[in-house]
Amino acid sequence: MEPGTTNHSARRIAAFTVGLGLSLLYFIISDNQWPSNSEFHTIMEMSATVLALFIGILALVNYYSKKEGTILFIGTGFLGTAFLDGFHGIVTSEFFIPYMPSENTSLIPWSWLASRLFLSIYLFLSFLAWRREKKSVLAKPFSEKIVYISSITLTLASFILFAFVPLTEGFFSDTVFARPEEYFPAVFFALAIIGYIRKGQWKYSGFEFWLIMSLIIGFISQAIYMSNSANLFDLEFNMAHLLKITSYIFMLIGLLINMHNIYQQAEIANRTKSEFLNIISHELRTPLTVILGYTPLLSQPEKLPATKKMLDTLKEKGFEHQAIPDLLEKSLNEYSKFTNKMDASGKHLLSLINDMLDLSKIEVNMMEIDQKVLTIRPIIIETCKQFEKSAKDKGLSLNYSSSDDQIYADERHMSQILINLIGNAIKFTDEGSINVAAVSKGDFVEFSITDTGHGINKDDIKNIFNQFTQVDGSATRNIGGSGLGLAITKRLIELHNGQISVNSELDQGTTFKFTIPRIVED
């Protein structure tokens, strides 16, 4: 059984039980009577108003801590619903009835419908917002101003309509359902339920599980209870209002869970950022120390031991002495050794700085992708040739194969992706082989980099693409690296509309696979 399967099953059973139980409850109690009055209705609506207002504010706090279109629409939807619920509860109270252009038999059904339709549409839009952001990482964020203005406009239009326009009665006794108009919000609730279920995050996210539970209750209150309400304040009417309040409570639970998770993630982020700064400061200081240590020696070559000895010999023995070529060769070897160390350290430092710059550009959506038609094979061959010496020095076999497919991609970034993955494979492999391959799979080219190295613990795989997180900080410090390479690689692949995955076993090796859309000839 896979980890978390039991939890998934429990959530599935809970959602099914709530939906089926509330549906069957209607048929059990439908013959009973539960008459109420306008005062009880006002109390229920004021309770719903307070809950909706609190949910809306809490959701927008969530949104501004981590800007996601889904939360923006949920927060805006509940804020607008709070005003509509409050208006609905106030204008249908005993005090306001004489001042309204419509009787309660008209005003209550239609003002209730406006609130429910408004909320159901915004909850469905919250799913569409996630789908839009998921479809393209290059999609521009939703304009908060437009979302807020549209919500305010619709809310004010509803106020004006109910305050000044006489309405027809909201009950239709000659139809199968007394209030068939209730199926309009029911449809949007159903679409939102289907969308979030297909999204699949309810299996892992407490927030989305409670969101789906709230949507299920909202759907049942509309499709089963309120649609069968034939009179004001009858049992179906009261049950629909109670279910609405219950759905709000479920949404509130989900948001509180989400707030708790955000707080925990912030704490973890602070710790991992501190660890990252410690690691990166070490990585930056080490090559700089080497460079600064050798630079004074090379700037004053006469102080090098071999050079001084050579000069002393020249003075004492003359230019024809046999020891001169040997001493000169030793001197040049020293120059070469020191220069090579400086060069390697300089390149390492440059790589670290480039990683940080790339990550900062990606984070603010400023990474430029210059896409053009590329043939895969030359890229694979050229990149692998760069690693032939380093693989040979470790006694590793580097094998590569590729199809002749073409892709539409940024050549520099494609090389960067392959360099990061192949470099990691060589870095964490002590013996065996590295295999690089690219094959066609449908509309994509699948690249794979397989090694026989250390492998990755299963518990660490879920964090391997996170920035500021390293699977093994001590190992990384020994081998070298900032820990940003895989995070950058993943984002670059996503910018090309591809995906990356990893499969690994400890002491058995690791395989990274990523896809890039290929050019398909008509």
Side-chain angles (χ1 to χ4, degrees), residues 386-398 426 429-432:
Q386 296 180 40
F387 291 96
E388 285 181 346
K389 185 180 185 302
S390 56
K392 185 178 180 181
D393 290 343
K394 294 188 71 174
L396 302 175
S397 172
L398 178 58
I426 294 175
T429 303
D430 295 329
E431 58 182 14

Side-chain angles (χ1 to χ4, degrees), residues 10 24 48 60 65 85 104 123 137 180 197 233-234 236 243 313 321 373 386-387 482 484-485 492 496 519:
L24 293 176
L60 290 180
S65 64
D85 281 347
N104 263 356
L123 291 179
V137 295
I197 288 176
F233 316 130
D234 60 11
E236 291 83 357
L243 289 176
T313 302
H321 196 274
V373 177
Q386 296 180 40
F387 291 96
S482 65
L484 293 176
L492 288 175
H496 285 83
I519 298 175

Side-chain angles (χ1 to χ4, degrees), residues 4-284:
T5 301
T6 302
N7 188 38
H8 301 169
S9 300
R11 290 183 173 185
R12 188 180 292 108
I13 292 170
F16 180 80
T17 301
V18 168
L20 181 62
L22 290 176
S23 301
L24 293 176
L25 180 63
Y26 169 76
F27 296 101
I28 295 172
I29 67 174
S30 58
D31 293 331
N32 298 323
Q33 299 295 319
W34 180 24
S36 63
N37 51 41
S38 178
E39 288 79 9
F40 183 70
H41 171 255
T42 301
I43 291 172
M44 288 194 293
E45 285 300 335
M46 291 301 100
S47 300
T49 298
V50 172
L51 280 171
L53 184 62
F54 189 69
I55 291 169
I57 294 172
L58 191 61
L60 290 180
V61 170
N62 273 325
Y63 169 70
Y64 283 106
S65 64
K66 185 180 180 181
K67 291 197 173 185
E68 295 178 352
T70 293
I71 305 298
L72 173 63
F73 278 98
I74 290 175
T76 306
F78 270 96
L79 275 183
T81 298
F83 287 104
L84 290 171
D85 281 347
F87 181 83
H88 169 68
I90 291 173
V91 300
T92 58
S93 64
E94 291 292 336
F95 178 81
F96 276 91
I97 288 176
Y99 304 99
M100 303 306 293
S102 306
E103 296 294 330
N104 263 356
T105 53
S106 301
L107 186 58
I108 288 179
W110 292 116
S111 58
W112 156 277
L113 180 67
S115 169
R116 303 301 285 161
L117 186 59
F118 180 91
L119 180 60
S120 64
I121 290 174
Y122 268 77
L123 291 179
F124 177 59
L125 288 175
S126 72
F127 164 72
L128 294 183
W130 168 83
R131 187 177 179 182
R132 175 179 178 269
E133 291 172 348
K134 180 67 176 178
K135 190 174 182 180
S136 174
V137 295
L138 297 176
K140 293 183 179 179
F142 284 94
S143 170
E144 298 166 12
K145 183 183 292 186
I146 293 176
V147 175
Y148 293 150
I149 290 176
S150 63
S151 174
I152 293 170
T153 301
L154 291 172
T155 304
L156 290 177
S158 298
F159 291 171
I160 294 170
L161 174 67
F162 298 127
F164 298 103
V165 179
L167 303 170
T168 60
E169 188 167 322
F171 297 88
F172 302 88
S173 57
D174 57 342
T175 59
V176 176
F177 300 98
R179 294 171 66 164
E181 67 271 26
E182 300 298 336
Y183 277 91
F184 286 101
V187 167
F188 285 104
F189 279 129
L191 290 173
I193 292 170
I194 294 170
Y196 278 106
I197 288 176
R198 292 184 63 184
K199 181 181 175 183
Q201 289 299 312
W202 60 270
K203 299 175 183 178
Y204 317 100
S205 166
F207 166 69
E208 293 210 4
F209 168 71
W210 287 102
L211 169 59
I212 288 178
M213 294 286 279
S214 175
L215 289 168
I216 290 172
I217 295 174
F219 170 78
I220 292 173
S221 72
Q222 296 300 125
I224 297 179
Y225 286 88
M226 191 57 89
S227 63
N228 285 291
S229 174
N231 299 288
L232 287 179
F233 316 130
D234 60 11
L235 180 141
E236 291 83 357
F237 180 95
N238 294 328
M239 283 297 298
H241 280 74
L242 289 177
L243 289 176
K244 179 176 79 170
I245 293 173
T246 303
S247 71
Y248 288 4
I249 293 172
F250 278 25
M251 178 63 74
L252 180 59
I253 292 172
L255 283 170
L256 290 174
I257 291 174
N258 199 40
M259 286 289 286
H260 176 67
N261 291 339
I262 289 175
Y263 174 78
Q264 284 189 323
Q265 291 170 3
E267 289 292 316
I268 293 172
N270 286 333
R271 289 197 299 270
T272 53
K273 284 180 181 178
S274 297
E275 293 173 2
F276 168 79
L277 290 176
N278 289 334
I279 293 169
I280 204 66
S281 63
H282 176 274
E283 293 293 334
L284 290 173

